[in-house]
Each structure stands twice: as C-alpha cells, then as structure tokens.
Amino acid sequence: MSALFIVLPLALLVAAAAVAAFVWATRRGQFDDLETPAVRVLHDDVD
Amino acid sequence: MPLSAERAIDRVECTHCGLDVPIALRVEGSAEAFCCAACRTVHAAIHAGGLEAFYRLRADDERRQAVVSGRSYLPFDEPAFHARHVTEAADGTRRARLYLEGVHCGACVWLVERLPQVLDGVCVARLDLRRQVVELAWRPERVALSRIAATLDGLGYPAHPWAEERRDALRRHEQRTQLIRIGVAGACAGNAMLIAFALYGGALEGMDPLYRSFFRGLSAGLTLVALLWPGRVFLRGALSSVRTGVLHMDLPVAIALTAGTAWGIANTVRGVGEVYFESMTAVIFLLLVGRWVQSRQQRTAQDAVSLLFSLTPATALRRAADGADEEVAVESLAIGDRVRVRAGDEVPVDGVLVDGASDLDLSLLTGESAPIAVAVGDAVHAGTRNLSAPIVVEARATGARTRAGQLMQQVERFARERPPLVRLADRVAHNFVIVVIALALATAAMWWPVGADTAIERAITLLIVTCPCALGLATPLALLAAIGRAAERGILIKGGEVLERLSRPGRLWIDKTGTLTRGELRLTDWRGDAELGPLIVALEREVRHPVARALVAHFGDAHGAPAAVERSHAEPGCGVEGLVDGRSVRIGHPQWVGERSSAPRWARRMTAAIEGRARSPIWVAVDGRVRGVASMGDTLRPEAHDALGRLRRLGWEISILSGDRRAVVDAIARDLDVGVERAQSEATPEEKVAQVRRSGSARARRPIFGRDRSIVMVGDGVNDAAALAAADVGVAVHGGAPASLSAADVFLRREGLEPLIELVAGSRRVVDVIRRNVGISIGYNVVAGTLAIAGLIDPMIAAILMPFSSLTVVACSYRSRTFGEER
C-alpha cells in the first residue's frame, strides 16, 4: 500500500501534463473554430 | 388532375440550385436552364474557374438559390477602407476579413478556399463556416481587394467588411481564457472525485489515519489550485459585489468556497471532521460551464448585431461636368451633385429630379404599396427604388441628413434608451443570496450550544450544498438551446431577454405592406380574352416594372405559342407598347391606353370598381381596342387571417400600423377582423414611433415575476425601423430593408407569418422551461439545505446531489421542444 505515496502524486503529475497540453492547444487557437476543419478534411482529396 | 400532371412533366430544374425554371426563362435545346440571373452568373463563374467539383461535393439538401449583388466593390480600394479593415503583414501581403452572405455548407468552404487558384495574387483564403467570415491574404501589387470581393460576389457570396476586427481579438482571448479555466477546473474536480472515492471507501470500511491524511492533503492541494486559478473569477466577482453593494450570485459562491476550503484544510491538518473538497471543485467546474454557455449565447447574439452594422458602403453614379458618369462612394456625394439612378437601383440622396421620368417604389420608406410616377421637378428621397427608367437627381441632402438617414439616427437613439429588462434569473439571484446567507447564520446560531466546531461545520456545509450550480445553468442553457433551435427554423434572435419579453402578451403592432401582405404587386382580378396571355408575356418580359412582373407571373404559365416581339417601347409612368406577332399592343394605365384605344362599357365599369377598392387598374389594348382589364394590388398573405387569430388566442392585442393610404388599410383591416379603429393608416415613421411609445408608456418594471405587458412591433421597411427600435421587441420580417434588420431584435428569415407565431409560442415555452429549471434547482437547494441544517448530510451525499441537480437541468433544457413544428 505504501506504493500509493509515489503512484498517486505521479498520477497527478500525468494529469498536470494533460492539463498543460490542453492549455497549450487552447492558447494556439485549436478550439476557436470547431466546425470548419471537420468539413475541410472531407475535401482534401478533391483538387 | 390532368393540368398538374402536365406541369410535372414540364418541370425544368435550375442547373445551379434545383428550383423550378419559369417558362419565360427556358431555352429550347439547351442542357442548362436557370431560374434566375444570379444562378446563371454563379454557374458561369464556377465553370470559368474550373470548380465544377463544387456540384459533386454539395448534398442535394444543401442547394440554395444563388445571391449575386453585382455591385461595384470599388470602395474596398479606398484608403479610408484600408485604414479600417486591412492590415499589412511582414511579408508584404495584405490581410483582411470579410463577412460572406450565402455561405451555408461544406461545399461553400471548398469553393471559397479555392480562391487562390482562381485569382492570381490571392495567397490564403480560410473560411469560418459558423460565422461566415473569410480570412484573406493577398499581394496588393497583383490583385486589388475590390477584385477579390467581386470574384466572391460572382461565386454567389456577396462580401461585406467585417467591422468587428478589434473586438474579435478581445473576444477570442476571452473565449480561450474561459476554455482554459473550464479545463483546469474539470481536471481538478475529476481527480478530487477519484481521491474522494478512496475516502468514502475508508469511511465505510476503516482506513489508516496516515492514508486518510495523505488523500485529504492531496485533494486540499487540488482544491487550492481550482480555487486560486479558475475559481478566482468568483472571488473577484464577490469583491466587486461587496464594493458596489449589488447582490450577486458570486457572493455566496465565494463565501462557500473560501470558508469551505479554509475549514477543510484546518480539518485535514487536525485530522478531524469532514471535508468537502470534491463538491467544491465540482461547484467551480459546473459554474464555469454555466458561465461559458451564457457568454456563448451572448456571442451569437453579438455576431448577429455586428453583422448588420457592417454592410458594405454603397456606390452611386455621379455625373461630372463633362456629362460622364463616375462611380463614387455614397458618402462622398455632396449637395448639388447630380446623380444618375439606373432602373432597379436605389436612390442614394434626397433631391430633385432634373432629368428623365420614371416610377418609384416607396414601399420601404413610406409603406405605400403602389408605385408613384415621378417627373422633372418632383422631389425624390433616399431609400426609394427606381423602377422603370434611368433618372438624374440633384442632391439636396445626403447621408445622415436625408429622411432615411434621420430615421436611422432615431433608431440608434431608441436602441440606446431601451430600458434593460430585469431578467428572471437576476431577480431570483437577488433573493437567493439574502436567503442563503441568512440561513447560514441561523444554522450557526442554532448549533452553537452543541459546540463551535459543529456550528461552523453545519453552516459551511449549508453554504456548499446550496451553491447555485443548477441555478447558474438554468436560464442560459434553456436560452441557448432555444436560440439555436430557433435559428435552425429561420428565426434569428439577438438575445435571451427577447424571449422573456415575448412571453408576456401585450400589444402587437403589425405593419401592413410586406408583412400582412406580400409586399409586391399581384394580379388580383382579370377579365379579358385568354389568348392575350402570350402577347402580354412577350411584351412585358423585358420590362422591370412591378406591374410587368405581376403580369408575367400570372400569364407566364399560360399555354399557347410564344409570341414574337417586333418592337417595343416603355413609357415611364404610363405603360408599354409594341408590335407583337404583327398586332399593335398597348398595356398600361387606363388614361394612357385610352388615348389611342376605345374601351367597351364593361371595361370602364370594372375600372371604376377596381379604383373603388383602392387597387390599380391596368388596361390591355390590341389593335386599338381594350380587350382586357387587370386589377393590380398588394394581396394579403393567405395565412394572415389564421395567424392573427392564433396570436389573439395567445393573448395578444393586434393593431395595424401602416404608412399606406386609408382605403387600402381599412379594407385589409376589415378582411382580417382587426377592427378599423385599431388600424392606423397614413402614419409617417415619426407617428409610428409615437404610437408604439404611447402604448408602451404603461410599461412598468416590477421586481419579481412581473406580469407586465410587452409592446411588440413587426415590420419590414425603413419607415418601421425607428418603431422597431422603440418597441420592447422589434421583429423584422423576411425581405425587409437592412435598416429594419439592424433595428430589430428578431429577424424572421422564412417568409410569411408562420414564423411569427412560432416565435411567440416558442418564447412562451422557453420561459416555461426556464421556470421549470429554476424550480428544479431551488427544490434541490431546499432539500439539500434542510439536510445540511439538520446535520444529516455527509460529503458523499453532497457529492451525489450536486451534479445530479445540474444534469437534471441540462436534460430538461435540451429535451424540451421549444421551437419547431406544432405538436
């Protein structure tokens, strides 16, 4: 059970990494327009 | 029915949009057919650019009739325009955002983003589908912005400058910050909840105090992060609430969060009592989500508003001293300038007609349904439309000084002065704050004799479990769901409070021309030979006058061989004459046709009867004899009578407010059972405002669940704009003038009165949903609060009740059918 003292903080660190990734993506504007990219990807092979 | 079967075979689909092609526009032996000039233009532009794949990408239900303004985009190249809307990038390219009309589907995205291939010099075109805004980058030495805009126009996407550049950047930042807050709060809440499960298990089965302290310590850390990063907004809100003395929902939230966290940390250190970390992090997360939903709803509304103020500057043809016409922005016209107005164009200035003769359509400026003939020396006004022949106008007033401009200034003033509505949620919040804080103090006092620890813990538990998560979601969710659903049904609503206002029936002023009626001339009665049809269609097909269009619409489907026009001549204000199949035909006003033709007695009698009903008679003469008489009028919409009846049953008092002539308005009022005393005719725009304001003078603002009556104005013209802005709710209907759109709170995109009923009935249902949501969340708070006061709640029950109440509200908002087909 004493492994918890290491594993739990480690798990929280992983969560913190995920949050950091989310913050980074948001600041880069990845969530600004949620509709158009979904449509655009369908047309990539048409040209 | 044999006739309809025959028509079904005859049906020809427009190559571009799939609508029926009118007989008059069909070309024998051609594989392509178009329902209108706009579709033809767009189709040609798509072919010229090699973009036929557009038609493959587009689903059948995404086909729409094309819109092409065909306007000149020269003002887009003026330095003033560039200073406002264009930025220069470091690599020498220019960048701008344009709002595009007509963008609606995935294939549109593809088409617009092919722009760099079609037009040399365009580097980037990226479209935001939801907001219909395209981001452009181009090389100014190779292509001008006006050329880009004109190309987009030709593809069926008329472009307008996006006026919200600076606010956009601010808003984008705000939106991202909100999203980050939600993400962080969600991560904290999720992890705190996981740790809480271990603690619940420990509480039931027993747990080593060392592990208990460890778990509690970790969740205390998570709560601190949640409180000090995303939760800071509540602390700040509470501070300003204290400073300004306005009771705000943030206040009890902030007290609960800080007191709960401090108490929880103290308990963790001491190793005693209960902690509510998981509930508090969940509170922060849920409240932030509620806030985000609300601001999203406001953003949608703001987009709709800003769009209307960003309409493209119009151009006019100024006649220079040497007699040549030059195209200039309307703003640069000065008093004394001579302006040429082509047939079909809008008059850009107030002034005097100095050359030519024509008919003007005044319906948008005055509400008058019949075209007016004008000749040299007559006064003409900006905002009217020239119908039949080119004229030259000498400007006496321009811009804001024109009659239309003054009306627009009034619109802006009324929009500013409109008293804010005390919203249902705010009224509830005010009382909520007082009750919760009083209860918390009472609880502490009640338990004080048992022990200070117990008393403080009970009070803090009460504050935490009554945190208004569900209440914070109740109104914004219901409104967002409803506004989104309404938009799908072609009803654009600029803000949530509009729905609250519309849910309280009061007086509904309704404009006649274009709202109750179709707003266009139609043939209402015809007597004459059936064989005249092809002759009339042949002669009137090329004429742009509304009478001609009404005749073609009526006789266009007539059977018989098409006639050949040998020569024709349109006489402005009178009619048209020509040689068709070797016969001389004259169609127009009775006096003018009567000059050269003899009329039988039945024709004269019928003409008198038509005039008696305030409609316009048209004579058709062939070879010097009047052979047919048509009655022209603006006809009532078929659903108008039913629609008004249903509005009355919903509790609205209906009155007609029109600028048209008394005889016309009274006749319509009688047809609709409105009562002539309730129909105001010949009202100037100023009188319309006065009427609307007078009926609204009893408007009272009552603090709680007020049942005051709303004043609603429904209209479409420039003459209605000020009244729309002065009313509690202004509703602009399909086909209206841009001025009325910017003044209105609601824009009905579908034609007819059906959407108006849907709007009114839907608003009532939305407010019912809000009431139910508020009821659910208050009910939850009463239950949880009672348990907390009695000391019967523990962290696990609190953690279950909290999201449960919010989920109920979410489900209620999205399950309820507010807008849509009547059940």
Side-chain angles (χ1 to χ4, degrees), chain B residues 196-207 796:
Chain B
F197 271 92
L199 286 170
Y200 299 153
L204 293 174
E205 313 234 320
M207 181 185 248
M796 190 158 72

Side-chain angles (χ1 to χ4, degrees), chain A residues 1 32 36 39-40 43 47, chain B residues 106 113-114 126 129 176:
Chain A
M1 279 291 274
D32 285 357
T36 327
V39 175
R40 197 175 282 139
H43 304 152
D47 291 297
Chain B
E113 296 190 347
R114 279 329 101 183
R126 277 183 87 78
L129 178 59
R176 288 177 189 173

Side-chain angles (χ1 to χ4, degrees), chain B residues 131-202:
Chain B
R131 301 202 299 164
Q132 300 180 236
V133 172
V134 66
E135 212 179 316
L136 291 168
W138 71 97
R139 303 210 151 269
E141 69 278 8
R142 281 163 55 193
V143 68
L145 182 57
S146 62
R147 179 89 200 286
I148 302 174
T151 309
L152 284 167
D153 192 308
L155 289 172
Y157 309 110
H160 305 281
W162 183 243
E164 296 302 315
E165 208 54 56
R166 204 170 323 139
R167 210 178 64 190
D168 243 23
L170 271 179
R171 218 164 64 171
R172 207 162 35 232
H173 180 72
E174 168 71 22
Q175 201 178 341
R176 288 177 189 173
T177 315
Q178 271 184 330
L179 215 54
I180 290 174
R181 280 195 204 124
I182 291 177
V184 174
C188 289
N191 284 293
M193 193 59 80
L194 281 178
I195 297 172
F197 271 92
L199 286 170
Y200 299 153

Side-chain angles (χ1 to χ4, degrees), chain B residues 81-140:
Chain B
F81 185 92
H82 273 242
R84 261 192 80 191
H85 299 292
V86 179
T87 54
E88 195 171 344
D91 58 354
T93 58
R94 300 283 160 88
R95 281 159 202 275
R97 282 159 193 261
L98 296 179
Y99 171 83
L100 300 183
E101 272 177 65
V103 163
H104 64 282
C105 68
C108 296
V109 176
W110 181 83
L111 193 56
V112 170
E113 296 190 347
R114 279 329 101 183
L115 204 59
Q117 296 166 22
V118 182
L119 208 56
D120 182 51
V122 180
C123 311
V124 184
R126 277 183 87 78
L127 184 71
D128 181 329
L129 178 59
R130 193 181 65 80
R131 301 202 299 164
Q132 300 180 236
V133 172
V134 66
E135 212 179 316
L136 291 168
W138 71 97
R139 303 210 151 269

Side-chain angles (χ1 to χ4, degrees), chain B residues 10-50:
Chain B
D10 258 343
R11 194 172 170 263
V12 174
E13 265 190 15
C14 172
T15 312
H16 180 71
C17 71
L19 282 180
D20 281 356
V21 177
I23 285 184
L25 292 178
R26 290 183 196 168
V27 184
E28 286 298 321
S30 163
E32 292 171 349
F34 298 96
C35 64
C36 57
C39 280
R40 184 193 305 275
T41 311
V42 171
H43 187 77
I46 287 174
H47 265 271

Side-chain angles (χ1 to χ4, degrees), chain B residues 297-353:
Chain B
Q297 172 216 321
Q298 283 163 355
R299 268 200 301 274
T300 318
Q302 279 173 355
D303 271 353
V305 178
S306 55
L307 161 74
L308 294 165
F309 282 109
S310 68
L311 291 173
T312 306
T315 58
L317 291 174
R318 182 165 60 193
R319 178 149 289 183
D322 57 1
D325 293 331
E326 57 170 341
E327 189 155 13
V328 295
V330 166
E331 286 78 38
S332 61
L333 290 175
I335 291 170
D337 278 353
R338 295 196 161 198
V339 183
R340 200 162 83 91
V341 186
R342 293 169 295 199
D345 282 357
E346 207 169 281
V347 178
V349 293
D350 281 2
V352 177
L353 203 154

